[in-house]
Amino acid sequence: MCELLGMSANVPTDICFSFSGFLHRGGGTGPHRDGWGIAFYEAGGYRDFRDPHPSVDSPIARLICDYPIKSHVVISHIRQANVGEVRLANTHPFTREMWGRPWCYAHNGQLSREWSNLPLSFYRPVGTTDSEHAFCWLMGELRRAFPDPPDDPEALWQYLHRLCEHLRTYGVFNLLLADGEHLYTYCSTKLAHITRRAPFGRASLSDAELAVNFAEHTTPDDVVSVIATEPLTDNENWVRMMPGELLVWRDGDIQGRYHT
Amino acid sequence: MCELLGMSANVPTDICFSFSGFLHRGGGTGPHRDGWGIAFYEAGGYRDFRDPHPSVDSPIARLICDYPIKSHVVISHIRQANVGEVRLANTHPFTREMWGRPWCYAHNGQLSREWSNLPLSFYRPVGTTDSEHAFCWLMGELRRAFPDPPDDPEALWQYLHRLCEHLRTYGVFNLLLADGEHLYTYCSTKLAHITRRAPFGRASLSDAELAVNFAEHTTPDDVVSVIATEPLTDNENWVRMMPGELLVWRDGDIQGRYHT
């Protein structure tokens, strides 16, 4: 199994603290040695960093910790390969352009054998994973239903929930998806979240000897939510998502909630 | 104007030497302070690193110099903005997936005002540059003509040359384009190339105090070609491309040549 990390914030925020704990699971405290990646949305632009090597040894991962990139939306993934060999083309997150927006996707779980029958249209996978195939199917279905961005975003969110429910029938499908403004999190088995806002306190990582006093790094209006496969800190109350639940995040807050 | 750097090689080769000279032009010896990017194809996978800050000050660019990524095909670009503000979404190279392959593109030059009339189909720009608009048009036209990879690649190359010739009527259009296997270079005004093969010699950079003896880093079968807006070394014979010429590179050698 892999692990997921996401962030939604109302001000450009760096994810160094959470990422420091997260990347220790990539071959340090965790078994996820088969690559890692992280994607940032910044001022209307998108970039990702991906490496097929364990995050705990990766010079690129160290750079991400040392060079704080400030972002409204972040998606990260560390991989323990099940379907698809260990190589760059199989390393999450994956990205495709729709409506002139870069969409970004990471998946935790494993689909059953039938996933290769999910029919593809606009988008085709570059690698050989179940995850990327499901992403191409998902984006193709969204694009067929909404050739242009819908006036009513809730129609899109509802349809996305339906597609996620369909993918859950294929196996374990925990999802992080983003369009640059919204972060979509769908829980099939395991995802937890925490929202930090004033008054900010102190947090200490479960996976590394590191603590931070957020009060020293924030202003009273900041709202920052972090979503992860497993809680990253040991002194805060994380909320576990329900199986079948889709949350739509924007500016650190939940804008939409759909469930089975 | 921007500057382009490309590489095609028959063995996975790092581009550290050429990139070291090239990035000095990004705010050092050159005026190209408006961002930079570099894309690598590795073992069927693709990744790029882009930064809207000058390459000469960029910690990500330093990482690329220090952490040799070995690749068959590389495309790099440093930017001096003309159309489109300085931000990540306007930073080359651009990428889109077609036929399950990541295509990568960088452009040097400036198109005239009419470029926004080039009709778009499958692909839409994320940023606001003439370059990305032209890329989306080019990829859309290729995909309309070839919904699947053609059996005869020369039909594709010929059609690509026609599309480049059309774009040249809009302004200055020097191009690097890659599909992971081939590197396509089209000259509108300025592109030069050099092929290094046994017996390898010594090369010294024009833009930085750095020399390398390729004989120490290669085997007798290596073939490595470098393509750049301006020659990067001052002791080798670079070949300048002709306006209207498209070269198709594979494994360091020219596989196809089309001209006006």
Side-chain angles (χ1 to χ4, degrees), chain B residues 65-99:
Chain B
C65 289
D66 295 345
Y67 177 53
I69 294 178
K70 300 208 168 204
S71 181
H72 282 271
V73 178
V74 174
I75 286 184
S76 182
H77 181 272
I78 45 180
R79 182 164 186 240
Q80 184 184 12
N82 40 50
V83 178
E85 59 190 314
V86 177
R87 61 186 178 99
L88 189 57
N90 290 340
T91 305
H92 305 226
F94 301 104
T95 178
R96 292 293 185 282
E97 173 259 309
M98 178 168 75
W99 310 330

Side-chain angles (χ1 to χ4, degrees), chain B residues 167-242:
Chain B
L167 284 170
R168 189 156 69 108
T169 66
Y170 282 72
V172 175
F173 185 72
N174 299 298
L175 163 87
L176 300 185
L177 177 74
D179 59 15
E181 196 173 300
H182 303 96
L183 173 69
Y184 307 93
T185 62
Y186 177 76
C187 175
S188 153
T189 55
K190 212 158 52 169
L191 266 182
H193 57 88
I194 188 158
T195 299
R196 298 181 183 123
R197 62 177 91 229
F200 288 96
R202 200 175 162 281
S204 65
L205 289 178
S206 314
D207 298 84
E209 291 285 332
L210 190 63
V212 69
N213 183 354
F214 286 112
E216 293 170 7
H217 302 275
T218 48
T219 70
D221 297 328
D222 293 7
V223 181
V224 181
S225 292
V226 174
I227 300 91
T229 300
E230 287 288 348
L232 286 163
T233 57
D234 51 20
N235 68 331
E236 295 177 298
N237 290 322
W238 290 67
V239 180
R240 291 195 183 269
M241 286 180 65
M242 302 291 293

Side-chain angles (χ1 to χ4, degrees), chain B:
Chain B
M1 285 299 224
C2 310
E3 295 217 20
L4 298 172
L5 169 66
M7 187 191 79
S8 168
N10 69 342
V11 285
T13 303
D14 79 65
I15 198 166
C16 295
F17 174 72
S18 298
F19 187 66
S20 295
F22 187 62
L23 76 81
H24 268 81
R25 297 183 183 173
T29 54
H32 314 91
R33 295 194 59 86
D34 302 329
W36 65 277
I38 187 164
F40 300 91
Y41 288 92
E42 302 159 70
Y46 170 88
R47 59 178 154 178
D48 59 43
F49 299 85
R50 289 175 299 119
D51 208 349
H53 308 296
S55 58
V56 75
D57 306 327
S58 167
I60 305 177
R62 276 199 301 278
L63 175 91
I64 302 299
C65 289
D66 295 345
Y67 177 53
I69 294 178
K70 300 208 168 204
S71 181
H72 282 271
V73 178
V74 174
I75 286 184
S76 182
H77 181 272
I78 45 180
R79 182 164 186 240
Q80 184 184 12
N82 40 50
V83 178
E85 59 190 314
V86 177
R87 61 186 178 99
L88 189 57
N90 290 340
T91 305
H92 305 226
F94 301 104
T95 178
R96 292 293 185 282
E97 173 259 309
M98 178 168 75
W99 310 330
R101 298 180 198 165
W103 289 67
C104 169
Y105 160 103
H107 165 223
N108 152 266
Q110 184 167 3
L111 303 183
S112 72
R113 217 172 298 159
E114 301 152 47
W115 56 265
S116 55
N117 294 337
L118 286 163
L120 301 176
S121 51
F122 296 102
Y123 303 100
R124 297 194 206 163
V126 173
T128 52
T129 59
D130 53 344
S131 302
E132 192 189 10
H133 189 103
F135 176 45
C136 290
W137 174 80
L138 185 73
M139 292 301 294
E141 294 299 301
L142 285 179
R143 188 163 170 168
R144 289 210 304 194
F146 302 97
D148 290 293
D151 294 328
D152 170 20
E154 293 191 20
L156 176 76
W157 302 346
Q158 219 154 34
Y159 192 61
L160 175 63
H161 182 249
R162 241 174 72 191
L163 296 175
C164 291
E165 290 280 274
H166 183 65
L167 284 170
R168 189 156 69 108
T169 66
Y170 282 72
V172 175
F173 185 72
N174 299 298
L175 163 87
L176 300 185
L177 177 74
D179 59 15
E181 196 173 300
H182 303 96
L183 173 69
Y184 307 93
T185 62
Y186 177 76
C187 175
S188 153
T189 55
K190 212 158 52 169
L191 266 182
H193 57 88
I194 188 158
T195 299
R196 298 181 183 123
R197 62 177 91 229
F200 288 96
R202 200 175 162 281
S204 65
L205 289 178
S206 314
D207 298 84
E209 291 285 332
L210 190 63
V212 69
N213 183 354
F214 286 112
E216 293 170 7
H217 302 275
T218 48
T219 70
D221 297 328
D222 293 7
V223 181
V224 181
S225 292
V226 174
I227 300 91
T229 300
E230 287 288 348
L232 286 163
T233 57
D234 51 20
N235 68 331
E236 295 177 298
N237 290 322
W238 290 67
V239 180
R240 291 195 183 269
M241 286 180 65
M242 302 291 293
E245 189 178 30
L246 173 74
L247 297 178
V248 182
W249 302 83
R250 186 181 167 171
D251 294 338
D253 277 316
I254 294 171
Q255 301 279 310
R257 186 189 295 267
Y258 300 86
H259 43 76
T260 311

Side-chain angles (χ1 to χ4, degrees), chain A residues 66-255:
Chain A
D66 296 344
Y67 177 53
I69 293 179
K70 300 208 168 206
S71 180
H72 283 270
V73 178
V74 174
I75 286 183
S76 183
H77 181 273
I78 46 182
R79 180 163 188 241
Q80 183 185 11
N82 40 51
V83 178
E85 60 190 315
V86 177
R87 61 186 178 101
L88 189 57
N90 289 341
T91 306
H92 304 227
F94 301 105
T95 180
R96 292 291 186 282
E97 172 260 308
M98 177 168 74
W99 311 331
R101 297 180 200 165
W103 289 67
C104 169
Y105 160 105
H107 166 224
N108 152 265
Q110 184 168 2
L111 303 182
S112 73
R113 215 171 298 156
E114 301 153 46
W115 56 264
S116 56
N117 294 336
L118 286 163
L120 301 176
S121 50
F122 296 103
Y123 304 101
R124 298 194 205 164
V126 174
T128 53
T129 61
D130 53 346
S131 302
E132 192 190 10
H133 189 102
F135 175 45
C136 290
W137 174 79
L138 186 73
M139 293 301 294
E141 293 300 300
L142 284 179
R143 188 163 171 168
R144 287 208 305 192
F146 302 97
D148 291 293
D151 294 329
D152 170 20
E154 294 191 21
L156 176 74
W157 303 347
Q158 220 154 33
Y159 192 62
L160 174 62
H161 182 249
R162 243 175 70 194
L163 297 175
C164 291
E165 290 280 274
H166 183 66
L167 285 171
R168 188 154 71 106
T169 66
Y170 282 72
V172 176
F173 185 73
N174 299 298
L175 163 86
L176 300 185
L177 178 72
D179 59 15
E181 195 172 300
H182 303 96
L183 173 68
Y184 307 92
T185 63
Y186 176 77
C187 175
S188 154
T189 56
K190 213 158 51 170
L191 265 183
H193 57 87
I194 189 159
T195 299
R196 297 181 183 123
R197 61 177 92 227
F200 287 96
R202 199 173 162 284
S204 66
L205 289 178
S206 313
D207 298 83
E209 292 284 331
L210 189 64
V212 69
N213 182 355
F214 286 114
E216 293 169 6
H217 301 276
T218 48
T219 71
D221 297 328
D222 293 8
V223 180
V224 180
S225 292
V226 175
I227 299 91
T229 299
E230 288 287 350
L232 286 163
T233 58
D234 51 19
N235 68 332
E236 296 177 298
N237 290 320
W238 290 67
V239 180
R240 289 196 185 268
M241 286 180 66
M242 303 289 293
E245 189 178 33
L246 172 74
L247 297 178
V248 182
W249 302 83
R250 185 181 166 171
D251 294 337
D253 277 316
I254 294 171
Q255 301 279 308

